[in-house]
């Protein structure tokens, strides 16, 4: 019986998740975490265990899915701004990128933001892109995050909030942000300076 309840909770929460396209990455992460937590809680305990598991999972999921996404321009607005009259193929451009703050201590929070525009022929409604963020200092590379996300055409603002590793060495780093299509035909890169003090 517990297994049936657990499975039902997971199915219901994931069904809710799949229908919430407007949710932020953090909210989606929290919902996934809640679903998994509820399922585990129900399997190992009772209904109370499912509720406790859901709450714990929501917190863990929110930390894992710490992205904030916003579409800032439609396809038509982006076409006008970038002065494109006709498109025959996919085009990705990074408009701007930043890190805030630019000087940080180990174990402190940083917002890495990138704004980019995706344009393609009018019959293409959704485009899958890959966002990759890497910290570089000399030959040292720290992979922060890599995610695959499906976007509508237009201009998008993607913010990733992360915590600097607590054992990171002090010094000057470069945050490299790469936006590419799934096939790797279009690859755009932005670089921002970041100092660990």
């Amino acid at each position: 019986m517990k297994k049936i309840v657990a499975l039902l909770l997971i199915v219901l929460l994931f069904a809710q998740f799949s229908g919430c396209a407007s949710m932020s990455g953090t909210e989606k992460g929290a919902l996934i975490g809640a679903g998994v937590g509820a399922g585990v809680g129900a399997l190992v305990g009772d209904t109370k265990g499912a509720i406790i598991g859901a709450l714990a999972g929501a917190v863990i999921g929110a930390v894992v899915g710490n992205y904030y996404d916003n579409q800032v321009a439609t396809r038509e607005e982006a076409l006008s701004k970038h002065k494109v009259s006709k498109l025959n193929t996919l085009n990705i451009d990074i408009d701007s990128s930043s890190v805030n703050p630019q000087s940080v201590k180990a174990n402190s929070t940083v917002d890495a933001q990138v704004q980019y525009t995706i344009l393609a022929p009018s019959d293409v409604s959704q485009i899958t892109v890959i966002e990759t963020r890497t910290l570089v200092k000399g030959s040292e590379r720290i992979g922060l995050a890599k995610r695959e996300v499906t976007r509508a055409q237009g201009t998008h603002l993607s913010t990733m909030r992360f915590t600097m590793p607590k054992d990171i060495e002090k010094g000057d780093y470069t945050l490299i942000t790469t936006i590419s299509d799934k096939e790797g035909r279009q690859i755009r890169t932005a670089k921002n300076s970041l100092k660990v003090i």
Side-chain angles (χ1 to χ4, degrees):
M1 184 66 181
K2 289 178 185 176
K3 290 183 179 180
I4 295 171
V5 171
L7 289 173
L8 283 173
L9 280 169
I10 292 170
V11 169
L12 287 172
L13 282 166
F14 276 94
Q16 178 69 21
F17 162 68
S18 64
C20 297
S22 63
M23 292 174 72
S24 71
T26 301
E27 292 167 337
K28 289 176 182 176
L31 186 56
I32 291 173
V36 173
V40 171
L43 285 171
V44 300
D46 50 13
T47 305
K48 184 178 178 182
I51 294 168
I52 292 170
L55 293 174
V59 172
I60 294 167
V63 173
V64 172
N66 215 355
Y67 283 92
Y68 304 90
D69 298 309
N70 185 29
Q71 182 167 356
V72 296
T74 64
R75 180 180 189 271
E76 291 71 26
E77 291 166 340
L79 282 169
S80 177
K81 181 178 178 181
H82 289 261
K83 301 191 180 348
V84 178
S85 57
K86 190 175 182 182
L87 271 173
N88 297 322
T89 186
L90 172 66
N91 186 57
I92 299 174
D93 284 314
I94 292 180
D95 303 320
S96 63
S97 65
S98 65
V99 290
N100 185 39
Q102 293 179 327
S103 293
V104 297
K105 292 183 178 181
N107 210 33
S108 59
T109 303
V110 179
D111 283 347
Q113 193 172 79
V114 62
Q115 180 173 301
Y116 57 92
T117 299
I118 312 166
L119 292 170
S122 58
D123 61 339
V124 178
S125 59
Q126 299 286 315
I127 298 156
T128 300
V129 296
I130 298 170
E131 300 178 4
T132 307
R133 291 173 170 93
T134 308
L135 266 182
V136 177
K137 180 188 178 192
S139 60
E140 181 184 3
R141 300 177 69 86
I142 302 170
L144 295 176
K146 181 175 183 178
R147 72 166 176 164
E148 188 176 292
V149 61
T150 301
R151 305 281 196 199
Q153 290 196 53
T155 301
H156 298 268
L157 184 63
S158 168
T159 303
M160 184 189 81
R161 180 166 292 166
F162 67 96
T163 301
M164 295 296 290
K166 62 182 178 181
D167 56 351
I168 194 168
E169 292 183 7
K170 294 180 180 179
D172 295 318
Y173 289 79
T174 301
L175 176 65
I176 299 177
T177 304
T178 302
I179 309 297
S180 66
D181 66 309
K182 196 171 180 180
E183 292 76 23
R185 294 171 298 185
Q186 291 266 324
I187 302 172
R188 301 291 181 262
T189 301
K191 297 181 179 180
N192 296 97
S193 297
L194 183 62
K195 187 178 186 69
V196 179
I197 56 177

